Amino acid sequence: MRSISALLRALQHPDDEMRRFAVSDLCEHHQRTDPRVLQALSEQLLQDECEHVREVVAESLGKLGTIAVPLLITTLNDADSYVRGKAAQQLGELGDERAIAPLIQTLQDDHQDVRYKAVDALLELHSTQAIAAVIQFLQQHYLTSDSLYEGLIRKLLLLQPEPVVDLLLQALTTNPSDQVRQEAAKILAEVGDARAIQPLVTLFEHRMLNVNETAARALVQLGPMAIPALQDALAAESPWRVLWASYTLVQLGESEALATLLNLLHHSFWGIRQYAIANLTKLGDRRSVEPIIACLQDSHDKVQLQAVQALGALKDDRAIEPLLELAQSSPEPLWRSIIGVLSQFNHPRIAALMLTVVPHSEPVIRSYAILALKAGKSEQSLPLLINALEDPDWHVREAATQGLGDLGDSAAVRPLIQRFKQIAEYGRFQQTQETSENTTAALLKLGKPVVAPLIAVLKASTHDRIRARAILLLGQLQDRRAVPVLAKLLHPSEIETHYLHKAQQIAERATAATALGMIGDVSAIDPLIAASKDSEEEVVLRVAEALSQFQLPIVVETLIQILRKWNGWHFAYSGQPEAVQAIAQTLAQIGDQRAIEPLIKVLAWGYEYPCGLGMQEEADRTGGGSPNLTTGDVLAADQAIAATLTQLTGMTISDLLLGMVRDEAHPLRETAAIALGRVGDLTLVPVMDALQDEDAFVRRSAACALGMMYDERAVLPLTDALQEAEDEVVLQASESLRWLAVHHRHVLEAVPILCQLLTHSNWQIRAAAARALSQSPDEQSLIPLVTSLSDPHPTVRKSVVFALRYLGDERAIAPVQAQLNDEDLGVRLEAIRCLGEIGVSESVEPLTELLTNPEMKVRLGAVIALHQIGMASAVTALMTALQDESPPVQDMASWALKELGGRAELD
């Protein structure tokens, strides 16, 4: 980590992003107490021209604690509103009373977001003065503006409920904003204050429908105590009040109010009739169907339209004949709506009408007509639907596809398969939203007649997407006639698949295995067992899932062999953890005891590290890497294994695994010890208890498992384990605490004891303690770490320098520079990296001297470190490295100089 000096220098960098990163790093927890930090941030707020940098300063100041309060108060006057808002937010989080008066003053800010954040901050302070100021502010703004303050109102409600309720009641009647009125209605309904009932009833006469609906919902939420006022409203002169009161009463269980609502269907004003129909539709009471049918003859077209839409929503067959009759004489806009509604019913007369509508010029009308044809028995329906598959509008094509599936005529198979091939070949067909899902659903409805033609398509096609979707569809059809064809795909000859790339061949074998599992016919078992020996992991895992569908003893041996061949890491990181989950569940149902050993070994996968550069980088960053975190589908699979083992053994997973760990002669003892940490918190409490076991191996295993769980509840037990008498337990507890820190778990409680372990007699424990301290950098570890630089063991010294690099404290510079002469190359290289990252000018000279070192790795490391420091003196040194005898050193020096560019003047 860079030192404070390097970060202060970076605050002058010309790049805005570099300054922002420097501000964030300066506020890291182990640098907050340095007085230079506050001074530098103060100057940055005054001088930096970039508002984004000032925003980060304001946001980061809160990390410094209450010493930043005066500076944050000053920041409330920044020119940028976002910076002012951030300052107000930080003052609220710090909770210092010195901020009350400045925040109250900020309530007069010109910018609404700043005022909002100031109010929020004052509420966080919980001061009488602050709360009084907020109430006064809301009385001035909440009742007169259209600004929404719902979050603040809810917070204030918890602190001072009475004045807030009064404020909300006033807002219901006086605020000009519809949104504010709705907000007040919702909150009052949640509070359950009876004083809100009459103002809410008054809102029934509001001009906006959404306000009427919100008031109705609020009254329903208030419950029975609202009924008397609503019943009184039924006698009101205002028809709007009667309309919404009757609607609300029905929702409250007062069914006699339905008659009042139905009477409004005869009101003289068409708008009342229209909204009465709309509210009857929402209630969904079948007693309203006949009265709404009568409204089809209303004198106003909007009432007729509302009635048509209502009958479509209610879907009552009594509406069919009246709608058909109205369709014969209605004008075009109403006719379109009727056609749309009729298409939702299943009736021969509707289908007959739709035969005449299919040629309509509008695609939406054609699609309605096509959907309705499925109910007809006319010989014309099938040809019309088939022809509609070629309609220029994709909505019509989708409707025709659905209609053919619903019609169930086998004559639709071939045109639908042709459509299936077209869509599969082009993906999303012709740049529309049309996908194969609709066609697949239609073919599935047609069932068995689809199988033979689809097999013919599979045999004839060389297109990989067509083949893949045909294979899956055959699986979904679940017809045993497809088994021989699919089984042959598991072992194709080179001639049969020469047109497919290798990846496509693998994918096709895997898909065929999945399809055979879907079919579930026992004749597929032997081909699947043979395919379990496939050389490709993807195929084998799909075969495993397929075989898991057959809960028969014949599949057990093959499933166990798959478990033994492909360890848990493959199941997890193949993207197919569901395969092992399926295997586990099948073995549990069959109940074969042979599954116990391989299942436990699969659980232990998490301790196996795959090779690769990424893993090496992670190990370098964290002081040795850490076990993989078990989450999501992988955790679900591991817990399925745990459930299977419980079912097979009759023991909880913790009792089973701990029993094996406690048995010194058990062949799975080591494996069970690792598996303890792979099933989430299922074993947490028993494992914590196992830290007190008499057997040191059990205690070490428990410490390891707790680290692998990455649960913060393990920190204190592991900290206690650091004071163990047995070295192996202490060593594992140190490593587990490091793992927890790597995954952002808070382990600072362990820092004092880890510092003590730096003087332990066992060098491995000293090194592990230093690595653990590297992931929890804290000032109190500085002196113990510096003292340990004289450790007799090189691994310990290297680990200590590594920890000091993460600590980033400039006071460690001189001791680390001394390690540049260490007898061990690894220590020297780590010291170079440390000096580069801390990045102070005092390191330039000793690093420059290393440019003549006989070791190429040393010279290369020195070039990288000088680049990180990036000062003018470092640039001069890098110029000399261009003449180095080693090309890698020359190339790195050239790159470093280009990267530094004009930044040398920052020295």
Side-chain angles (χ1 to χ4, degrees):
M1 184 173 293
R2 291 185 295 174
S3 67
I4 293 181
S5 296
L7 293 170
L8 293 177
R9 195 166 62 250
L11 290 178
Q12 308 306 315
H13 199 283
D15 186 88
D16 295 345
E17 284 297 305
M18 294 297 290
R19 298 199 304 279
R20 288 177 64 188
F21 289 138
V23 168
S24 297
D25 288 348
L26 275 171
C27 292
E28 287 297 321
H29 66 88
H30 57 291
Q31 295 178 343
R32 295 178 193 168
T33 57
D34 193 303
R36 292 176 295 171
V37 173
L38 186 60
Q39 179 64 31
L41 294 178
S42 176
E43 293 173 358
Q44 207 70 25
L45 274 174
L46 296 173
Q47 299 171 5
D48 204 299
E49 295 179 358
C50 178
E51 68 273 15
H52 300 301
V53 176
R54 298 199 307 276
E55 288 166 14
V56 176
V57 173
E59 190 171 358
S60 301
L61 280 171
K63 298 176 183 177
L64 300 178
T66 55
I67 62 169
V69 168
L71 184 54
L72 284 167
I73 290 173
T74 303
T75 311
L76 292 174
N77 298 313
D78 192 274
D80 185 83
S81 62
Y82 193 84
V83 176
R84 298 197 301 274
K86 281 291 182 184
Q89 182 180 342
Q90 293 298 316
L91 286 169
E93 292 178 6
L94 289 173
D96 194 296
E97 291 189 355
R98 289 175 290 174
I100 294 175
L103 284 169
I104 291 174
Q105 183 64 34
T106 306
L107 296 178
Q108 307 303 318
D109 195 281
D110 294 337
H111 202 282
Q112 178 179 307
D113 287 345
V114 179
R115 296 196 300 271
Y116 190 99
K117 284 188 168 61
V119 172
D120 195 34
L122 285 166
L123 291 177
E124 292 293 329
L125 294 171
H126 294 185
S127 157
T128 305
Q129 180 188 0
I131 292 172
V134 169
I135 292 172
Q136 184 180 0
F137 171 83
L138 290 173
Q139 287 171 340
Q140 294 172 353
H141 292 79
Y142 187 62
L143 297 177
T144 58
S145 73
D146 59 357
S147 300
L148 297 178
Y149 291 93
E150 182 176 352
L152 300 177
I153 290 287
R154 291 183 183 280
K155 274 189 179 181
L156 187 55
L157 195 60
L158 298 174
L159 301 171
Q160 291 282 348
E162 193 60 33
V164 176
V165 171
D166 291 340
L167 196 65
L168 291 167
L169 290 169
Q170 291 179 61
L172 278 182
T173 54
T174 63
N175 194 290
S177 166
D178 295 341
Q179 283 184 295
V180 173
R181 288 188 174 191
Q182 291 179 80
E183 176 186 282
K186 287 189 291 184
I187 298 174
L188 283 167
E190 293 172 17
V191 172
D193 195 301
R195 289 176 293 172
I197 293 173
Q198 199 56 53
L200 286 170
V201 172
T202 304
L203 286 182
F204 287 159
E205 298 182 42
H206 195 277
R207 66 190 183 284
M208 297 299 293
L209 176 64
N210 55 355
V211 177
N212 305 146
E213 290 178 335
T214 301
R217 283 195 297 270
L219 287 162
V220 169
Q221 193 169 348
L222 286 168
M225 64 178 173
I227 291 176
L230 289 166
Q231 289 173 333
D232 292 343
L234 295 180
E237 293 183 5
S238 167
W240 295 106
R241 188 175 290 208
V242 175
L243 170 71
W244 287 101
S246 56
Y247 168 71
T248 307
L249 281 167
V250 173
Q251 287 189 297
L252 285 168
E254 299 294 308
S255 57
E256 60 272 14
L258 181 65
T260 305
L261 192 55
L262 289 171
N263 286 336
L264 291 174
L265 295 177
H266 307 289
H267 196 274
S268 58
F269 178 48
W270 68 267
I272 293 292
R273 301 197 300 275
Q274 181 187 22
Y275 283 120
I277 294 171
N279 284 352
L280 286 166
T281 307
K282 293 173 194 170
L283 293 172
D285 194 302
R286 294 295 162 185
R287 289 175 290 176
S288 64
V289 173
E290 293 290 352
I292 292 176
I293 289 174
C295 292
L296 292 175
Q297 306 304 320
D298 195 278
S299 59
H300 200 285
D301 58 345
K302 289 187 178 179
V303 178
Q304 287 183 300
L305 182 61
Q306 190 72 54
V308 170
Q309 292 170 347
L311 292 169
L314 292 169
K315 290 184 175 60
D316 192 296
D317 285 350
R318 287 175 287 174
I320 294 175
E321 293 296 338
L323 286 169
L324 284 168
E325 183 178 345
L326 185 61
Q328 296 174 11
S329 58
S330 58
E332 183 76 10
L334 183 60
W335 179 82
R336 288 195 195 94
S337 183
I338 294 171
I339 294 298
V341 168
L342 285 172
S343 69
Q344 301 174 44
F345 291 92
N346 193 350
H347 193 277
R349 279 200 60 197
I350 295 175
L353 170 64
M354 295 304 177
L355 287 172
T356 66
V357 177
V358 169
H360 199 275
S361 60
E362 290 190 25
V364 67
I365 300 299
R366 294 202 302 275
S367 64
Y368 285 149
I370 290 296
L371 283 172
L373 287 178
K374 64 187 179 184
K377 302 298 182 183
S378 169
E379 294 180 357
Q380 297 173 270
S381 296
L382 182 63
L384 285 171
L385 287 169
I386 291 173
N387 287 337
L389 289 176
E390 305 301 326
D391 193 277
D393 185 84
W394 74 273
H395 295 92
V396 178
R397 297 196 298 270
E398 291 276 88
T401 301
Q402 182 182 335
L404 286 168
D406 292 337
L407 202 61
D409 194 310
S410 59
V413 170
R414 293 198 178 278
L416 280 175
I417 283 184
Q418 182 61 29
R419 188 82 192 134
F420 173 83
K421 287 167 59 180
Q422 290 175 332
I423 297 175
E425 184 174 0
Y426 290 104
R428 281 193 186 279
F429 189 70
Q430 297 178 353
Q431 305 301 313
T432 70
Q433 297 299 308
E434 194 174 2
T435 66
S436 63
E437 293 176 5
N438 203 20
T439 312
T440 298
L443 289 168
L444 286 172
K445 287 179 183 177
L446 295 175
K448 292 185 179 299
V450 175
V451 176
L454 194 61
I455 289 174
V457 168
L458 181 59
K459 289 180 176 179
S461 177
T462 60
H463 194 283
D464 61 313
R465 275 202 301 270
I466 293 176
R467 292 178 63 83
R469 291 180 182 176
I471 291 168
L472 278 178
L473 183 52
L474 285 170
Q476 291 172 288
L477 287 164
Q478 296 182 331
D479 192 297
R480 67 190 313 270
R481 286 176 292 170
V483 172
V485 179
L486 295 172
K488 190 176 181 181
L489 294 179
L490 292 175
H491 311 282
S493 66
E494 291 186 11
I495 296 176
E496 292 172 317
T497 59
H498 70 278
Y499 47 83
L500 295 175
H501 296 301
K502 182 178 180 181
Q504 293 170 340
Q505 294 175 16
I506 295 168
E508 185 165 291
R509 299 202 300 275
T511 306
T514 298
L516 287 168
M518 290 178 179
I519 295 172
D521 190 87
V522 292
S523 62
I525 293 178
D526 286 341
L528 285 168
I529 289 175
S532 69
K533 297 177 175 59
D534 196 287
S535 60
E536 295 296 332
E537 179 180 341
E538 180 183 353
V539 178
V540 175
L541 294 181
R542 291 302 182 197
V543 166
E545 281 191 274
L547 286 172
S548 297
Q549 306 304 311
F550 303 95
Q551 295 180 358
L552 299 170
I554 190 175
V555 305
V556 172
E557 184 60 38
T558 302
L559 292 178
I560 288 175
Q561 287 176 4
I562 292 172
L563 287 177
R564 285 177 173 152
K565 180 178 181 181
W566 303 103
N567 64 33
W569 182 83
H570 291 87
F571 286 118
Y573 287 93
S574 64
Q576 301 175 39
E578 65 273 9
V580 73
Q581 189 170 352
I583 293 174
Q585 291 166 346
T586 296
L587 292 174
Q589 291 297 318
I590 297 173
D592 197 305
Q593 297 290 308
R594 290 176 296 168
I596 294 174
E597 178 189 350
L599 285 172
I600 290 176
K601 287 183 175 179
V602 168
L603 266 186
W605 69 267
Y607 215 69
E608 301 167 10
Y609 294 103
C611 60
L613 182 60
M615 292 300 294
Q616 183 59 49
E617 290 176 351
E618 199 266 350
D620 289 344
R621 180 180 61 82
T622 61
S626 59
N628 296 285
L629 184 62
T630 308
T631 57
D633 292 341
V634 177
L635 178 60
D638 286 351
Q639 292 184 338
I641 292 175
T644 298
L645 289 167
T646 295
Q647 189 167 341
L648 290 173
T649 63
M651 303 169 67
T652 66
I653 189 65
S654 54
D655 287 344
L656 172 65
L657 295 176
L658 282 171
M660 293 178 177
V661 172
R662 290 188 171 107
D663 184 352
E664 295 182 9
H666 202 289
L668 293 177
R669 192 184 195 203
E670 293 279 355
T671 306
I674 298 169
L676 271 172
R678 301 313 313 176
V679 290
D681 60 2
L682 292 179
T683 57
L684 179 66
V685 174
V687 167
M688 285 196 294
D689 292 341
L691 283 174
Q692 310 302 321
D693 197 274
E694 295 179 357
D695 189 326
F697 178 83
V698 176
R699 299 198 300 276
R700 180 184 71 77
S701 301
C704 178
L706 288 173
M708 294 166 73
M709 292 177 197
Y710 296 113
D711 193 305
E712 286 188 349
R713 290 172 289 179
V715 173
L716 290 178
L718 286 170
T719 302
D720 291 340
L722 293 177
Q723 303 176 71
E724 259 268 6
E726 295 291 337
D727 285 4
E728 61 178 308
V729 181
V730 177
L731 182 60
Q732 183 58 63
S734 300
E735 283 291 275
S736 291
L737 285 165
R738 181 179 62 79
W739 298 343
L740 289 167
V742 166
H743 287 273
H744 310 294
R745 303 303 190 265
H746 182 77
V747 298
L748 288 178
E749 300 96 324
V751 169
I753 301 177
L754 288 169
C755 288
Q756 294 174 19
L757 292 178
L758 292 173
T759 60
H760 198 278
S761 59
N762 187 323
W763 72 266
Q764 291 176 305
I765 291 176
R766 300 197 301 275
R771 291 197 304 274
L773 286 169
S774 74
Q775 302 305 304
S776 297
D778 189 90
E779 282 186 342
Q780 63 182 310
S781 64
L782 175 63
I783 294 176
L785 284 168
V786 169
T787 303
S788 296
L789 286 173
S790 59
D791 194 280
H793 201 286
T795 302
V796 178
R797 297 197 300 276
K798 181 180 177 182
S799 299
V800 168
V801 176
F802 178 84
L804 287 169
R805 171 156 65 100
Y806 272 80
L807 188 59
D809 197 303
E810 295 173 46
R811 292 171 289 179
I813 290 295
V816 171
Q817 287 176 354
Q819 303 306 305
L820 294 176
N821 299 314
D822 195 280
E823 61 184 19
D824 183 81
L825 176 62
V827 177
R828 298 201 300 276
L829 292 175
E830 189 60 51
I832 293 170
R833 282 193 289 268
C834 179
L835 294 174
E837 289 199 19
I838 293 178
V840 296
S841 58
E842 292 85 350
S843 298
V844 172
E845 183 178 348
L847 288 170
T848 302
E849 292 174 359
L850 294 179
L851 294 176
T852 59
N853 192 283
E855 284 280 354
M856 187 274 287
K857 290 182 179 179
V858 172
R859 300 196 304 278
L860 183 62
V863 168
I864 295 171
L866 287 166
H867 165 255
Q868 289 174 305
I869 294 173
M871 305 175 72
S873 52
V875 170
T876 303
L878 288 170
M879 295 290 290
T880 64
L882 292 173
Q883 310 303 319
D884 193 277
E885 63 183 26
S886 170
V889 177
Q890 294 173 15
D891 293 344
M892 182 58 68
S894 176
W895 174 85
L897 287 166
K898 289 177 183 177
E899 282 290 303
L900 289 174
R903 296 191 319 203
E905 65 269 16
L906 297 180
D907 194 352

